[in-house]
Amino acid sequence: MANIINKFSSILFFLIIPNLIFGPAIPDILLTCIGLIILYIIIVYKRFDLINNIYSYLFFIWFLYLIIRSALSIDPYLSFTSSLFYFRFYFFALGILFLIQKDDFFKKYLFYVIIFTYLFILTISLLQFFFENIEIPFIDQYEIYKYHFHMRLKGPFADSIMGGYLIKLLPLLFISYYISPKFMYKNYLLIFIFLLSSLVIILTGERNAILLLFLFNILILFNKSIDSFYKFITFALFILVFVISVILYPALISRIVFTINQFNFLNTDGILTNIYFKYFINAYFIFKENILFGAGPKMFRILCNDYVYLIPDSCSTHPHNIYFQLLAETGLFSFFIFLSLFIFSFYKFIRLKIDSSRKHYNIMFYSFLSIIILLFPFSTANNLFNNYVNIFYFIYLSFFINALNLQNETKTYIA
């Protein structure tokens, strides 16, 4: 019975990965099912150790804080829409952690699921790019302007989020590679998908995704299990992919120059022009009025209107940066929690020592790397309380906890 439950949970998780292409609705249902299954396992099989630990205590303190802050916000109903059922993401993470520890089916097939998802996305994206008039069933048609720096390659996605999806999934691709059994040409398949996805990420023109892709490649250079020669080859191939991208998408250089110029965020008259800096400063104004505990989840979209007269066009649903959103909506308390998690992950990443099992080392390496990518302070970000975003956060939280267990305990959870 337990094996059937584990396999069913694994299949539900496998379905989440490709369904994220089409929006958060189906993945949200699937993750809730996984959370209910792990709750059933905890109660029926008395696996109270899954919640009786420091990670669960810290999460439920954070969850209780969100509930209280929502209740005390100026619009509790709106704020509760993001905080009241937030706990379901943690049970989802516990479900994944349980599968990592106990289910060989999960470890065996996760890599295949991610590979086929990538192949589906990359195939459609490259067909759209090279054959502009091609009609693909169930995929929206749109024109691609390769010589215009506002071009967006969307692939099978309805919105321009493909680059963000691909870069967020990359650490999981590498983790799944190391937890899955060996098979012929597995190494070549990983390298092929990595380089091809790098090409497509760059061709999307999504600046934040491209920034994180460069960060990902730089962080790989710290991997102690890879020989220096192979690091050089890998990075050289990535640079080659970037050069090819520029050739295929000539306006990319103009887009990069445009981005650099945006850091001169004041014009000659001293007026703020960069839209993201406008959001950040508006968030800072909200933070100054609620320094310790913030204004409450989802309150930026309401309170930003109070400062539009000072900073035109500075209002949105969220400040487009995790840390500014934390400051504005949940205050210094949560800001330091997330910043500490980022610093702690970076510390673990840098201090990670290679052991006799290079597989375990690499599982830990890419698990810590994933948190660095997700919580990188100098990148723009989606709404922290968005369901779609939290699926990625809590997937990697489960692998992060597993990495800490691998590092701190003599018993390893991944055979």
Side-chain angles (χ1 to χ4, degrees), residues 324-376:
F324 277 104
Q325 183 174 3
L326 288 167
L327 287 172
E329 297 187 345
T330 52
L332 281 177
F333 174 76
S334 61
F335 172 82
F336 284 120
I337 290 176
F338 277 74
L339 184 61
S340 299
L341 178 58
F342 173 80
I343 294 172
F344 179 70
S345 301
F346 191 78
Y347 172 79
K348 287 288 186 181
F349 176 82
I350 294 296
R351 299 283 294 176
L352 191 60
K353 295 180 180 179
I354 193 165
D355 56 10
S356 57
S357 175
R358 293 196 172 200
K359 182 173 74 171
H360 292 165
Y361 168 84
N362 281 294
I363 291 168
M364 292 184 285
F365 179 89
Y366 290 104
S367 297
F368 295 140
L369 181 150
S370 67
I371 303 299
I372 296 171
I373 293 290
L374 286 178
L375 299 184
F376 187 60

Side-chain angles (χ1 to χ4, degrees), residues 70 73-81 282-283 286 290 295-309 314-319 325 328-329 383:
S70 290
S73 68
I74 61 171
D75 189 343
Y77 177 79
L78 176 62
S79 191
F80 274 133
T81 60
N282 197 317
I286 296 172
N290 309 270
K298 277 194 173 182
M299 289 300 99
F300 177 84
R301 67 189 65 196
I302 294 177
L303 295 177
C304 63
N305 289 296
D306 296 343
Y307 302 100
V308 170
Y309 75 97
S314 63
C315 211
S316 182
T317 56
H318 61 287
Q325 183 174 3
E329 297 187 345
N383 185 354

Side-chain angles (χ1 to χ4, degrees), residues 14-74:
F14 294 159
L15 290 172
I16 287 175
I17 294 172
N19 273 289
L20 282 168
I21 298 170
F22 308 107
I26 294 176
D28 204 3
I29 295 171
L30 294 171
L31 76 86
T32 301
C33 291
I34 293 173
L36 291 172
I37 290 171
I38 196 63
L39 189 60
Y40 170 84
I41 290 173
I42 291 170
I43 295 172
V44 174
Y45 293 96
K46 303 186 186 304
R47 287 298 310 273
F48 300 112
D49 58 296
L50 291 170
I51 55 173
N52 186 22
N53 52 64
I54 186 63
Y55 312 115
S56 296
Y57 302 152
L58 290 174
F59 171 80
F60 283 108
I61 290 172
W62 161 245
F63 171 65
L64 181 61
Y65 175 76
L66 291 180
I67 292 296
I68 294 173
R69 197 62 203 88
S70 290
L72 298 177
S73 68
I74 61 171

Side-chain angles (χ1 to χ4, degrees), residues 54-296:
I54 186 63
Y55 312 115
S56 296
Y57 302 152
L58 290 174
F59 171 80
F60 283 108
I61 290 172
W62 161 245
F63 171 65
L64 181 61
Y65 175 76
L66 291 180
I67 292 296
I68 294 173
R69 197 62 203 88
S70 290
L72 298 177
S73 68
I74 61 171
D75 189 343
Y77 177 79
L78 176 62
S79 191
F80 274 133
T81 60
S82 61
S83 62
L84 192 59
F85 297 101
Y86 191 75
F87 65 89
R88 73 189 190 280
F89 292 111
Y90 186 71
F91 281 100
F92 168 60
L94 288 182
I96 300 171
L97 182 62
F98 183 79
L99 293 174
I100 297 169
Q101 296 175 1
K102 297 296 182 182
D103 190 29
D104 290 333
F105 180 82
F106 176 83
K107 291 180 282 188
K108 181 178 180 180
Y109 290 104
L110 177 59
F111 182 70
Y112 295 103
V113 171
I114 298 175
I115 286 293
F116 284 120
T117 303
Y118 264 103
L119 287 174
F120 171 72
I121 295 170
L122 299 177
T123 300
I124 290 178
S125 302
L126 293 174
L127 285 173
Q128 286 179 337
F129 187 85
F130 289 107
F131 305 98
E132 298 177 22
N133 297 320
I134 191 171
E135 294 186 5
I136 304 173
F138 309 108
I139 304 297
D140 292 336
Q141 295 296 118
Y142 62 96
E143 295 185 25
I144 296 176
Y145 302 98
K146 299 176 186 177
Y147 293 89
H148 194 288
F149 66 84
H150 287 301
M151 183 197 84
R152 287 289 191 273
L153 180 63
K154 297 194 296 185
F157 293 79
D159 299 312
S160 299
I161 60 170
M162 180 170 64
Y165 175 91
L166 292 175
I167 187 60
K168 287 185 179 74
L169 199 61
L170 265 185
L172 188 59
L173 171 66
F174 280 79
I175 294 170
S176 66
Y177 170 84
Y178 286 104
I179 67 174
S180 65
K182 292 183 179 180
F183 61 88
M184 190 177 295
Y185 305 124
K186 183 182 177 185
N187 295 353
Y188 299 108
L189 182 58
L190 176 69
I191 295 170
F192 173 75
I193 293 296
F194 172 59
L195 293 176
L196 198 60
S197 61
S198 297
L199 173 66
V200 171
I201 289 170
I202 296 170
L203 292 179
T204 64
E206 295 175 36
R207 291 170 290 182
N208 189 62
I210 295 171
L211 168 68
L212 295 179
L213 178 63
F214 271 91
L215 177 63
F216 185 90
N217 278 272
I218 292 170
L219 292 175
I220 287 179
L221 298 177
F222 290 89
N223 192 311
K224 299 182 180 71
S225 72
I226 305 175
D227 294 335
S228 298
F229 174 76
Y230 292 110
K231 289 180 185 177
F232 172 78
I233 293 297
T234 303
F235 196 77
L237 287 173
F238 170 69
I239 296 300
L240 178 62
V241 166
F242 182 77
V243 173
I244 293 172
S245 303
V246 173
I247 295 172
L248 295 174
Y249 177 21
L252 182 62
I253 295 299
S254 299
R255 186 163 178 77
I256 293 172
V257 172
F258 173 77
T259 302
I260 294 172
N261 289 336
Q262 282 192 310
F263 282 94
N264 182 22
F265 54 91
L266 295 177
N267 66 13
T268 54
D269 297 322
I271 299 174
L272 194 66
T273 57
N274 184 287
I275 187 64
Y276 291 114
F277 283 107
K278 290 182 179 183
Y279 297 148
F280 300 163
I281 294 177
N282 197 317
Y284 175 70
F285 284 150
I286 296 172
F287 162 69
K288 287 202 303 181
E289 298 296 324
N290 309 270
I291 292 178
L292 291 179
F293 306 113

